[in-house]
Amino acid sequence: MAITTTKSAFWKGFRDSAPFIFMASPFGFLFGVLAAEAGLIVPEAFAFSLAVFAGAAQFTALQLMQENAPLIIILISALAVNLRMAMYSASLTPYLGDAPMWQRALAAYFMVDQSYALSIVKFETEPELTAPQRMAYFLGTNGIVAPAWVIATAFGALVGTRIPDSWGVDFVLPLAFLAMIGPMLRTPAHIAACFVAVATALPAAALPYNLGLIVAGIAGMIAGAQAELWLERQKTKSEAAQ
């Protein structure tokens, strides 16, 4: 169905994002369970998801909280994990930059991987969309995912304390990270960043205050950027030689 109004743009984004509920709900539930095991009560877990609304950053912060890491380390680590959102925002600026400030602030809050991926494809393939229609589509992509994430978090926190310790659900946290990272490794630069970060994280685990995570993240970002530059130079040389 073609987008002809702002309302139809919102509902198009709503429908396009519907399949992601099957990913957001289990992850939200898992976060709630782990939050309960970390000692957070249901309102705290609910407020955590509502205020932060960033899956990877929430899991990172929760793990560091369980390890009694300093607050500044928790904040820096959570921000480092979500640095990609800055690149997402810059990428969407040509399409949403003309919207009013309050709408851009709202879009920044709702910026997640799914909303960005759906929106950038829609904006590039349908350049005739107006700025209000683009914003409506973007917000529509969170119309079902955001409530599902927050509600699943509260439900997970509600039943989390009732799950026997013998089930050992702690192992699910690293699995959740692997499930989130895997689909993001789309280019050689991404893979280089991942492997350098992993290789750095192992010896850096000995650093105090859980600084190893930040050191590994910085090393991974540098490696990814250098790999991207090297690949661009090789591509330029190849095109010049033809």
Side-chain angles (χ1 to χ4, degrees):
M1 180 183 296
I3 294 176
T4 55
T5 64
T6 301
K7 184 178 179 180
S8 64
F10 177 87
W11 288 113
K12 176 61 176 171
F14 187 96
R15 291 192 299 273
D16 288 349
S17 66
F20 288 107
I21 193 175
F22 297 107
M23 184 188 74
S25 297
F27 276 121
F29 178 79
L30 175 61
F31 177 79
V33 171
L34 296 176
E37 290 198 341
L40 272 64
I41 60 177
V42 175
E44 290 174 335
F46 180 81
F48 197 154
S49 275
L50 194 63
V52 181
F53 190 54
Q58 287 181 225
F59 279 108
T60 301
L62 185 64
Q63 185 174 20
L64 292 175
M65 288 167 61
Q66 289 179 289
E67 296 173 0
N68 296 317
L71 178 60
I72 186 65
I73 299 298
I74 296 174
L75 293 175
I76 293 175
S77 299
L79 288 173
V81 168
N82 264 19
L83 270 180
R84 69 187 186 285
M85 297 302 163
M87 293 183 284
Y88 290 172
S89 298
S91 176
L92 289 177
T93 296
Y95 304 102
L96 303 178
D98 293 334
M101 176 64 77
W102 70 270
Q103 290 185 5
R104 284 182 282 153
L106 197 61
Y109 171 76
F110 282 115
M111 183 72 73
V112 294
D113 295 314
Q114 297 85 358
S115 61
Y116 170 77
L118 289 171
S119 297
I120 193 66
V121 171
K122 175 63 68 177
F123 300 161
E124 289 178 348
T125 54
E126 299 186 26
E128 70 278 7
L129 293 177
T130 64
Q133 289 172 343
R134 290 176 189 144
M135 182 59 75
Y137 180 86
F138 178 85
L139 295 177
T141 59
N142 270 292
I144 190 169
V145 172
W149 171 264
V150 176
I151 292 172
T153 293
F155 184 63
L158 185 64
V159 304
T161 54
R162 295 178 175 82
I163 295 178
D165 293 337
S166 59
W167 288 17
V169 296
D170 290 352
F171 78 98
V172 178
L173 183 56
L175 289 182
F177 273 115
L178 290 174
M180 285 188 285
I181 292 172
M184 298 179 184
L185 304 180
R186 298 188 296 269
T187 68
H190 294 164
I191 295 172
C194 177
F195 276 94
V196 170
V198 170
T200 306
L202 295 176
L207 292 175
Y209 304 114
N210 292 292
L211 288 171
L213 179 63
I214 297 175
V215 172
I218 293 174
M221 286 187 281
I222 293 174
Q226 291 299 317
E228 192 75 41
L229 291 173
W230 184 82
L231 289 170
E232 284 294 325
R233 285 197 294 267
Q234 295 302 311
K235 182 180 178 182
T236 303
K237 288 180 181 178
S238 176
E239 291 175 349
Q242 292 178 355

